Amino acid sequence: MGNIPADVRTAVIEEVVRRLDVARWEETSPSTASEMYDRFVKDPKIGGRLSPYMAAEKIRVWIKDGPAKEYRRALEGIGPIAPYTRRAYPGPESVVRLALGDRWITKTNTIKEKPMRCFAEGPEGASMFVIWGPLSALQGLIWNSCLVRAEDSSKPITVVITKPNSAPLPANEWDLVVALSHIVGAECKQITYAASRKPVL
Amino acid sequence: MIAEVDLQLHQCLGELIDNALDELVEASTEDRTLEPRIDITLPVSRTVGRSSAISVEDNGRGMSPTQLQEALSAGTSGKQRFGSLGLFGMGFNIATARLGTITEVRTGRSGDDRWVIATLDLTAMRRQSTYEVPLRYERKAREEHGTLVTVTGLREDMVIRLKSTRAIKETSGHLGRIYTYMLRDPQGGHSGAELMGGANQRLYVNKRAVSPHLPCIWDPNRSVTYKGSATQAATRINIPLTNAHACMNCGRWYTSAYNVCIECESTDIEERERRILGWLGIQRYADKSDFGLTFLRHGRAITYQDKSLFSWETPDGDYELEYPIELGMGRIVGEIHLDHAPVNVRKSNFDTSSHEWRFMVDKVRGPEPLRPQHAKRLVGHENTSPMSRFFNAYRENKAGLRYLVPGNGESSIHEATKAWGAKFRNGDPDYLTDEKWYQAAVDHDRFQSGPTPAAKLQDDDAWLQDEGLSHLSERGMGSLDMSDKDDKSDEPELIRPETEQERFTRYQSAATLLSDTDRHVRIGDAQPVLRVYVTSGVELTKDGQKQAYVVRIVAGEIEIYVDRSATLIARYGWSPMNVALVCAAPQLKNVYRVEEPIDQLITMILGQFPDRRVDATAVRARADSLLDDIRERLADLTAKDPSTYWNTLSSESRRAAEANAVSIAPYVDWSGAVENGEYARYLSAQGILDLVTDSPDLVLDGALFKTTYTSLGEDTRADQVARLGALLADLRRMTGGTPVFQTLELSRLLLTADLLEAEIAAT
């Protein structure tokens, strides 16, 4: 991987990220994602440019474990490919405000990823652990809440389920979130957290 | 009562989607950072019941309480209908009532801190005899915006529909066709994407994006020659109409100024521009039903694959089907936007009796027959519409570049190209552009015309090289740059044995792939990819011995190389595919452990190539098309001296022509046709044979057939007439009498058709 010239690497990443933007990668099903990897490998602008530097079977892995894996983080503004996306999530401040209200402030130095989480400061010095992600990431959200709970049995925790639209989650899905959050002693919220296009400068 | 209007699930959803799209198109123009989306949630089959909910949500700008109240006023429109697909009003009420009994609308604008919610319970409203809709409010974050429509208390038939495991997939498919224009990306990278356009909106059903049903057309840069000039494979339609007056409230158009709308009594009537926009294109595959025009209103497909413009409406009001003719397979497609034309309440058809529709038919298709000679005869002039030009340039499905039809060296490959079309729709990058289809048309012509001069040159070069005379080769002679002849010439060249990979690379560089191969075939329990290459000017070898064919089976891929000059092909006329299968069969049987005998193995493989079957219908269609072509050309010749040539015909041929005329055009002026030479358009193959036999001066020497005649001696003249006569006798056999089903004879007749076509002189 290291022997790819920097300009080729940049050009390929730009192209892959452009395609991921168009496909709205964060919503792509695993089977569609798999087809897309195959297309990328065959594509002269992607696989074609990489082929002098790595074997064909490595190209798929390079894309999958590289730009594709990084994409969701990039939407949060984190990681090396973030500058290449033309889309972005509203960010942690928006999550905290939507979940907890206008009086809560994100402690930016506490933001962590995989899954996205941070501490927020509320009125009169209150502190809250906030962790967020789509319903598909619920397992990780609950597990990380457990870790916080294990450290501090009284720390307030809010589990936030993000959705691309304002329609409430179906009742059966939301009931599960409520039940699991209750076990960890966490509050739970659902918020609209949709990617938007970055303004063209 | 309104719930009784017969709307299917996707049509009901369409009403709600129309509203959302109207909003999103405007919202995304206003806010360039917005990623517009519509989310439909349908209950899944295992959990669906009367209490389930169906919802449609958009992330548009939402409405204020006042706007919502106005929008929901039953039977009227709260927003301007002009320029819109749908409306809150009757369409909304009918669609939601058809889905269930209770509809909730929740909406809110960015900046507001509450959702405004209205519940329409039709049963309760009826019971209480009030149509007032009270509003409720719920807290929302200021950033959130959009409109969510939720229907509950589902009707029993909707529940039954949704219990089907295929319901959601089928609904998505319907929506993908209806909203193909709204959903597709004009920068999508497929052939014709920019010409076809699109609004790049997003629609999801249960979180899965609905895919637009993309038209699979040839690139607009491809063309065929018709009447001496290029006819592009896709073309824009842009027909300006006179301005008209539109009611801004209900959308009704008026050709003259009205103060008050007669439909809704609104006084808001404005003058607006009207235009018929769209495109016509040639699909990359032909099919019996998968073709035709889509007519749209405000970006929504109202009719899909409409074929009504392919029929000619006679002055008596009857319809004559003009396309497709050959094999019943068509490939003309297109989209016509008729934003100004009225549609029915279900939005399932335009009002085809309206002035707007009929005007479009006249402009796009023309009022005359599409067939030029037919038009000239019946109305005195040809049809000059865009559709007519397309029809005439691409009417035949004969393989090759002449009509832009992919082939395999023997025939058109409709089944294979249709399978490629499916790959196109799955987004396979190898099939997004028309390159593969084009290459198959090019390769077909190359197979038909034999090795290219370049290949022959390589042959000569190889011979000269073997003889140590490479300096005499074309390449050597032609090279002015003598630097090639460097100092190394005196040094003995190191001879390294050629690797197997190099050997096959060499074969490939001198080979043409049979277009319909290069795909998975079933052999026993395996599904390897089969590729058959035909080579020219390269010696195929195995263990150093010259071979007519070589086979390579590696990692689930079979490559068979067949030498074009192999005796079975060059002397016995076998097809390269047949040679490849017969020669490779023992090896395939062994490798894939097939227990059946070799003949069954070959039959099993060939059975997976339906395009290669010799088909009686195809032969008949080919012959009919050829006969039509000859007759049309002949009519211009007989007009020079109609009575002389009429007298040349046998009484049997005259009777046949008359009967044919009556069956095609029951009210034909037959005596007029005999007087002016038009009778030629109805001649049977025997009639044409009569003219060739008894009036060779009329039709030979390039007048209709290329056959040289006048300059020859008497005996040779007779031979020429006899030779052409034999071909026409076969044409007679193909177009009349008992259908032929014997494969060998069908093959022979197809060859006759090829020979006869080659005899027809260029116009």
Side-chain angles (χ1 to χ4, degrees):
Chain A
M1 207 186 294
N3 59 1
I4 306 171
D7 57 337
V8 174
R9 189 188 168 86
T10 306
V12 171
I13 289 175
E14 268 181 348
E15 186 60 28
V16 171
V17 174
R18 192 182 69 77
R19 307 285 180 89
L20 300 180
D21 276 347
V22 170
R24 298 193 187 178
W25 185 248
E26 75 280 9
E27 294 168 354
T28 308
S29 69
S31 63
T32 310
S34 182
E35 285 169 15
M36 281 181 70
Y37 292 136
D38 292 342
R39 284 179 222 157
F40 290 160
V41 173
K42 284 201 272 180
D43 196 299
K45 286 184 175 171
I46 301 170
R49 281 182 185 155
L50 292 173
S51 59
Y53 312 102
M54 62 178 81
E57 62 272 16
K58 298 275 184 202
I59 295 176
R60 195 177 201 275
V61 178
W62 186 88
I63 298 166
K64 188 170 180 240
D65 290 350
K69 204 170 191 173
E70 282 285 328
Y71 186 76
R72 193 178 269 275
R73 295 175 72 227
L75 291 183
E76 300 280 6
I78 300 168
I81 69 161
Y84 299 107
T85 73
R86 302 262 57 84
R87 309 171 65 226
Y89 279 133
E93 288 82 3
S94 173
V95 174
V96 168
R97 196 169 54 249
L98 287 174
L100 306 178
D102 292 345
R103 298 173 71 194
W104 287 81
I105 295 162
T106 309
K107 291 172 79 175
T108 46
N109 59 344
T110 65
I111 295 172
K112 288 187 180 163
E113 51 190 288
K114 291 183 188 174
M116 293 299 296
R117 56 199 193 272
C118 70
F119 284 90
E121 261 180 9
E124 295 156 18
S127 171
M128 175 77 76
F129 174 74
V130 186
I131 184 162
W132 66 95
L135 187 69
S136 58
L138 182 61
Q139 192 176 344
L141 303 183
I142 296 296
W143 170 247
N144 278 275
S145 299
C146 287
L147 295 179
V148 172
R149 178 62 64 241
E151 270 183 19
D152 183 345
S153 59
S154 61
K155 173 63 86 184
I157 300 172
T158 300
V159 172
V160 181
I161 303 298
T162 58
K163 317 161 279 130
N165 55 49
S166 72
L169 285 177
N172 56 339
E173 292 176 355
W174 183 238
D175 288 347
L176 178 68
V177 177
V178 172
L180 290 174
S181 301
H182 180 72
I183 294 170
V184 206
E187 290 288 310
C188 54
K189 297 278 163 90
Q190 46 178 310
I191 64 164
T192 308
Y193 194 62
S196 59
R197 296 169 185 148
K198 288 179 184 171
V200 180
L201 300 173
Chain B
M1 189 64 182
I2 53 177
E4 303 309 319
V5 176
D6 179 24
L7 287 182
Q8 294 178 39
L9 174 59
H10 67 272
Q11 290 173 312
C12 296
L13 294 171
E15 286 294 333
L16 307 182
I17 294 166
D18 285 350
N19 279 326
L21 281 172
D22 284 346
E23 166 55 27
L24 288 175
V25 168
E26 283 184 42
S28 44
T29 311
E30 209 170 86
D31 176 6
R32 296 280 179 191
T33 66
L34 177 74
E35 282 197 352
R37 61 181 295 148
I38 299 170
D39 281 277
I40 297 174
T41 308
L42 298 175
V44 292
S45 57
R46 62 180 181 279
T47 56
V48 66
R50 295 289 300 269
S51 58
S52 302
I54 291 175
S55 70
V56 177
E57 199 229 355
D58 69 70
N59 64 348
R61 294 164 300 181
M63 287 179 272
S64 68
T66 316
Q67 286 170 321
L68 176 61
Q69 195 88 58
E70 284 174 358
L72 289 173
S73 303
T76 63
S77 171
K79 62 176 185 168
Q80 286 203 330
R81 189 177 176 184
F82 178 78
S84 302
L85 284 163
L87 69 162
F88 283 100
M90 283 316 288
F92 173 84
N93 287 339
I94 290 168
T96 51
R98 188 72 190 80
L99 292 171
T101 53
I102 302 168
T103 302
E104 183 183 277
V105 182
R106 190 198 68 177
T107 186
R109 300 175 302 178
S110 181
D112 291 347
D113 60 2
R114 56 187 191 166
W115 295 111
V116 49
I117 301 164
T119 304
L120 290 94
D121 184 339
L122 291 176
T123 318
M125 287 163 98
R126 219 176 1 249
R127 199 170 44 236
Q128 293 157 14
S129 297
T130 173
Y131 294 94
E132 292 281 308
V133 184
L135 302 183
R136 292 186 291 119
Y137 299 92
E138 266 179 23
R139 187 180 161 275
K140 86 167 179 64
R142 288 183 189 280
E143 291 99 319
E144 289 184 305
H145 55 89
T147 302
L148 168 69
V149 176
T150 307
V151 181
T152 50
L154 300 188
R155 283 170 55 99
E156 192 57 40
D157 56 341
M158 286 296 160
V159 172
I160 291 168
R161 173 80 189 100
L162 285 161
K163 275 195 189 297
S164 158
T165 49
R166 297 193 309 271
I168 291 175
K169 200 174 172 198
E170 285 172 357
T171 302
S172 289
H174 282 306
L175 296 176
R177 278 190 283 276
I178 293 173
Y179 295 104
T180 176
Y181 175 81
M182 299 305 289
L183 298 178
R184 69 180 182 238
D185 179 2
Q187 311 293 323
H190 47 278
S191 293
E194 287 184 27
L195 176 123
M196 294 187 284
N200 211 9
Q201 298 286 323
R202 289 284 182 134
L203 176 62
Y204 297 82
V205 173
N206 287 6
K207 298 176 190 160
R208 277 189 167 246
V210 174
S211 306
H213 189 79
L214 293 180
C216 180
I217 61 169
W218 286 93
D219 193 279
N221 291 323
R222 308 285 189 205
S223 63
V224 302
T225 304
Y226 174 64
K227 288 196 166 176
S229 63
T231 299
Q232 252 66 36
T235 186
R236 279 184 207 284
I237 300 288
N238 184 348
I239 302 165
L241 308 171
T242 52
N243 287 359
H245 297 80
C247 172
M248 295 289 110
N249 185 48
C250 73
R252 179 173 171 134
W253 286 90
Y254 298 93
T255 45
S256 54
Y258 272 74
N259 292 328
V260 180
C261 176
I262 56 170
E263 202 78 51
C264 69
E265 298 182 357
S266 164
T267 53
D268 189 5
I269 296 176
E270 290 179 19
E271 185 175 337
R272 292 289 166 126
E273 188 187 62
R274 296 182 308 167
R275 197 172 279 273
I276 298 170
L277 291 170
W279 56 272
L280 294 177
I282 298 297
Q283 194 165 257
R284 294 182 227 163
Y285 56 86
D287 189 78
K288 286 192 190 304
S289 60
D290 183 6
F291 67 97
L293 305 187
T294 297
F295 291 98
L296 306 98
R297 189 168 187 268
H298 297 301
R300 173 193 175 148
I302 302 295
T303 53
Y304 177 70
Q305 295 190 328
D306 184 310
K307 296 172 180 69
S308 62
L309 266 60
F310 299 143
S311 290
W312 177 59
E313 187 181 358
T314 68
D316 305 324
D318 296 330
Y319 285 91
E320 270 183 32
L321 180 67
E322 296 194 280
Y323 181 84
I325 300 170
E326 201 183 336
L327 293 173
M329 294 176 105
R331 53 191 184 124
I332 296 179
V333 292
E335 287 180 345
I336 307 291
H337 296 257
L338 287 173
D339 293 351
H340 61 287
V343 297
N344 66 12
V345 70
R346 291 185 189 87
K347 296 183 189 166
S348 59
N349 204 358
F350 280 93
D351 175 0
T352 54
S353 63
S354 67
H355 168 76
E356 291 83 355
W357 176 266
R358 297 185 76 87
F359 186 82
M360 179 280 297
V361 174
D362 274 3
K363 289 291 174 188
V364 175
R365 184 239 184 269
E368 307 88 359
L370 297 172
R371 294 160 288 176
Q373 304 298 340
H374 202 54
K376 265 201 272 185
R377 180 170 52 81
L378 293 174
V379 296
H381 60 272
E382 286 186 27
N383 184 330
T384 56
S385 69
M387 174 73 82
S388 178
R389 190 168 178 85
F390 251 64
F391 162 82
N392 285 296
Y394 295 94
R395 61 191 285 186
E396 290 200 36
N397 293 326
K398 191 166 174 288
L401 287 175
R402 168 69 188 84
Y403 293 105
L404 218 48
V405 175
N408 56 19
E410 292 174 41
S411 59
S412 313
I413 47 170
H414 300 306
E415 292 293 330
T417 50
K418 204 175 167 193
W420 298 352
K423 291 191 177 193
F424 161 84
R425 295 211 166 87
N426 279 337
D428 188 327
D430 289 347
Y431 298 83
L432 281 186
T433 70
D434 64 7
E435 194 52 43
K436 196 166 173 68
W437 283 260
Y438 187 75
Q439 196 53 49
V442 171
D443 287 347
H444 176 86
D445 285 353
R446 192 185 302 156
F447 278 118
Q448 294 267 305
S449 56
T452 58
K456 191 173 173 303
L457 198 66
Q458 282 175 3
D459 260 355
D460 292 346
D461 282 359
W463 178 82
L464 288 167
Q465 205 165 1
D466 288 349
E467 298 298 315
L469 300 169
S470 54
H471 59 288
L472 294 176
S473 74
E474 193 74 15
R475 245 175 282 166
M477 299 283 278
S479 173
L480 293 175
D481 181 5
M482 298 307 281
S483 61
D484 288 356
K485 201 179 160 190
D486 53 24
D487 300 339
K488 288 179 191 165
S489 56
D490 293 338
E491 293 171 15
E493 203 177 315
L494 280 175
I495 298 169
R496 181 177 60 80
E498 186 182 40
T499 65
E500 186 181 275
Q501 184 55 43
E502 285 168 346
R503 183 160 61 95
F504 278 95
T505 305
R506 188 161 52 83
Y507 295 161
Q508 268 201 19
S509 65
T512 308
L513 177 72
L514 289 185
S515 309
D516 54 346
T517 63
D518 193 15
R519 67 176 181 85
H520 289 280
V521 290
R522 193 171 43 77
I523 303 179
D525 296 330
Q527 285 239 322
V529 171
L530 172 68
R531 295 190 195 95
V532 177
Y533 294 94
V534 183
T535 62
S536 290
V538 66
E539 195 171 87
L540 303 177
T541 56
K542 188 183 177 192
D543 304 327
Q545 297 295 310
K546 187 177 174 186
Q547 301 279 317
Y549 72 96
V550 287
V551 184
R552 180 163 70 158
I553 304 176
V554 184
E557 296 192 351
I558 305 165
E559 287 180 357
I560 308 175
Y561 295 81
V562 185
D563 189 337
R564 181 191 268 280
S565 61
T567 311
L568 283 174
I569 299 172
R571 301 244 175 102
Y572 292 92
W574 282 34
S575 76
M577 178 72 163
N578 291 354
V579 174
L581 291 182
V582 167
C583 294
Q587 205 171 328
L588 299 179
K589 180 174 161 61
N590 190 27
V591 171
Y592 294 102
R593 299 173 194 280
V594 179
E595 288 179 3
E596 286 83 1
I598 280 183
D599 66 315
Q600 282 186 32
L601 169 64
I602 295 173
T603 312
M604 186 181 75
I605 297 174
L606 273 178
Q608 296 169 63
F609 291 87
D611 291 319
R612 291 188 170 265
R613 214 171 287 145
V614 183
D615 182 75
T617 324
V619 173
R620 173 72 194 245
R622 176 86 196 281
D624 284 343
S625 157
L626 204 53
L627 181 59
D628 267 354
D629 201 19
I630 294 172
R631 287 198 287 223
E632 295 229 339
R633 303 272 297 276
L634 194 57
D636 289 339
L637 300 174
T638 49
K640 290 172 189 164
D641 189 356
S643 59
T644 304
Y645 299 119
W646 177 251
N647 293 329
T648 306
L649 298 170
S650 64
S651 56
E652 187 190 313
S653 295
R654 287 189 215 165
R655 246 197 330 274
E658 194 174 302
N660 191 22
V662 171
S663 79
I664 294 172
Y667 307 110
V668 65
D669 170 15
W670 186 242
S671 54
V674 171
E675 276 171 31
N676 62 22
E678 285 289 319
Y679 58 81
R681 299 192 195 287
Y682 304 100
L683 288 178
S684 60
Q686 178 59 49
I688 294 158
L689 182 54
D690 288 351
L691 289 174
V692 168
T693 313
D694 297 326
S695 303
D697 297 348
L698 171 73
V699 286
L700 304 188
D701 282 326
L704 173 58
F705 297 106
K706 290 177 192 163
T707 316
T708 312
Y709 182 74
T710 321
S711 58
L712 302 172
E714 198 173 326
D715 290 345
T716 322
R717 281 185 186 183
D719 288 347
Q720 290 286 72
V721 169
R723 190 178 61 82
L724 188 56
L727 297 179
L728 287 166
D730 270 355
L731 185 67
R732 182 180 59 199
R733 173 112 172 76
M734 283 186 261
T735 53
T738 328
V740 179
F741 290 110
Q742 285 169 329
T743 309
L744 267 180
E745 192 163 6
L746 287 170
S747 303
R748 182 177 72 83
L749 293 175
L750 275 177
L751 283 175
T752 298
D754 284 344
L755 289 168
L756 197 53
E757 187 158 342
E759 281 294 329
I760 299 174
T763 42

